[in-house]
Amino acid sequence: MASRKRARTYSVQPFHGESLPQPAPPARPPRHKRPPETGPDRADRRLGTLMLPLRLFLGATLIYAGLVKLIDPSFLDPNAAGSLASQLHGFARDSPLAPLINAIGIPFAGQIGLLIALGELAVGLGALTGMGAKAAAWGGFVISILFWLAASWAIKPFFYGPDLPYAVGWLTLALVGDGGRYVLRGATFENLFRRLGGQRQRTAETWSEDRRAATETIVLGAAALVLAAIALQRPGWLRDLLGGSATPGSGVTGGSGDANPSASPEPASSAVPSAGPSSMPSGSTIGTLASLAADGSATFTVPSSGDPGILVKLANGSIVAFDATCTHAGCPVQWVAADRALECPCQGAAFD
């Protein structure tokens, strides 16, 4: 019968002053770090960051312009003073787009005004959120160019007009882009729809670029319609937020502007004397005292140029006549009895 041998065990004791080696800690799984951006991607994102102030300014300005147009009840009313229709009559005298304005703009002023406001809201939202960024930038460029050709064309020198600088700003944003910085892209909606639909295995490739662009366009259009519906209801809080009942102009600034009391329209004729057989002057008759409205003003057509004119009764009782064309924006000014000034509805300038 074979005998079994028991294995001997030995213990290892360290020498005096020495320690046994400790086992190495378990290795941690590697962290997934975002690879550093290099080359064109880094340059695009940097340019996108630099474009952020321009995006915020242009986007917020166009949203403001669209809302101010819609909360003003006179802008879309063709029979109201300061409406888009009355402004287009003034633009048609000097604009290179005069045939188009007379054929389409004036007859359909209400519809075109609503379309302009909706376009401004959609473009402004696109610039702020980054949805359809390229299309929004080009849309802002087209709107500004149209305003320049229609409303600012008669302004001399050209750098006094506000619309051409806006066109250059939109063109810069369209060419440079946003670099993907602080944007709300179609991928965001893809993730939202995937979670709502419970499709966890859906890949990014199934969400095509065309589908993303279509989704962004639908979202922008819906958001613009919602804002327009709110503005057309003219809630008091929105009117107070946007500066009361300011009359919007045709430019992208929505009718906001600094008063300019130092400028004044060109006089159309001398003071109109009181009626009487011995004081009747020679020349063309532009109005009578009976034609003055309750606020002490009346409109007429300047015989020599065909420009719109305005009669104003001053505090001393004399009557003066002015060419009513604003020297800045080319719009016909209006007499505001409360302010004792001629005010331009397009860019807010006031003439004393």
Side-chain angles (χ1 to χ4, degrees):
M1 184 175 181
S3 61
R4 297 181 178 178
K5 293 184 179 181
R6 181 178 298 177
R8 296 183 180 182
T9 59
Y10 299 91
S11 62
V12 180
Q13 298 295 332
F15 291 100
H16 181 68
E18 294 182 352
S19 60
L20 293 176
Q22 300 296 325
R28 294 181 178 179
R31 295 181 178 179
H32 297 282
K33 295 184 178 180
R34 184 177 183 179
E37 294 179 346
T38 58
D41 292 340
R42 183 177 182 180
D44 290 344
R45 291 180 66 84
R46 180 175 178 81
L47 287 175
T49 303
L50 295 177
M51 288 291 104
L52 185 60
L54 185 62
R55 280 177 52 199
L56 295 177
F57 174 74
L58 293 177
T61 301
L62 246 69
I63 292 176
Y64 173 80
L67 291 177
V68 169
K69 286 178 175 62
L70 293 174
I71 66 172
D72 180 28
S74 65
F75 180 72
L76 300 177
D77 184 1
N79 299 319
S83 66
L84 179 60
S86 64
Q87 295 176 30
L88 290 176
H89 278 286
F91 299 156
R93 292 185 298 106
D94 302 308
S95 171
L97 302 179
L100 188 63
I101 293 175
N102 290 322
I104 301 177
I106 295 176
F108 302 98
Q111 295 86 337
I112 292 177
L114 182 60
L115 184 62
I116 290 174
L118 287 174
E120 288 176 337
L121 291 177
V123 169
L125 290 171
L128 286 182
T129 63
M131 293 187 297
K134 285 286 185 179
W138 284 113
F141 173 74
V142 171
I143 291 175
S144 300
I145 287 294
L146 290 176
F147 286 161
W148 173 56
L149 294 175
S152 304
W153 185 259
I155 300 177
K156 302 293 185 294
F158 72 91
F159 50 79
Y160 282 159
D163 299 312
L164 190 57
Y166 276 96
V168 175
W170 283 113
L171 179 61
T172 303
L173 188 59
L175 295 177
V176 176
D178 53 32
R181 299 291 288 173
Y182 308 105
V183 297
L184 187 63
R185 292 292 197 225
T188 304
F189 299 105
E190 174 191 0
N191 295 332
L192 177 62
F193 295 154
R194 184 180 62 215
R195 292 182 180 179
L196 293 177
Q199 301 176 9
R200 301 181 179 180
Q201 303 300 325
R202 190 172 187 176
T203 61
E205 288 74 16
T206 59
W207 192 273
S208 64
E209 290 297 328
D210 293 338
R211 190 169 183 178
R212 289 175 180 173
T215 303
E216 294 174 6
T217 302
I218 293 174
V219 172
L220 281 179
L225 289 174
V226 170
L227 285 179
I230 295 175
L232 288 174
Q233 296 298 323
R234 301 183 184 91
W237 63 268
L238 183 59
R239 185 180 296 274
D240 295 338
L241 179 65
L242 298 180
S245 58
T247 302
S250 61
V252 295
T253 54
S256 64
D258 297 330
N260 187 4
S262 62
S264 61
E266 295 293 333
S269 67
S270 58
V272 179
S274 58
S278 61
S279 61
M280 181 62 65
S282 61
S284 302
T285 302
I286 60 175
T288 64
L289 294 177
S291 65
L292 295 177
D295 61 354
S297 68
T299 59
F300 68 97
T301 300
V302 180
S304 58
S305 63
D307 292 349
I310 186 168
L311 293 171
V312 176
K313 184 177 182 179
L314 301 182
N316 59 5
S318 61
I319 310 297
V320 292
F322 292 99
D323 187 313
T325 303
C326 175
T327 55
H328 295 158
C331 299
V333 297
Q334 302 168 7
W335 173 250
V336 181
D339 299 334
R340 304 296 301 176
L342 297 168
E343 297 185 359
C344 176
C346 295
Q347 49 100 344
F351 304 91
D352 60 7

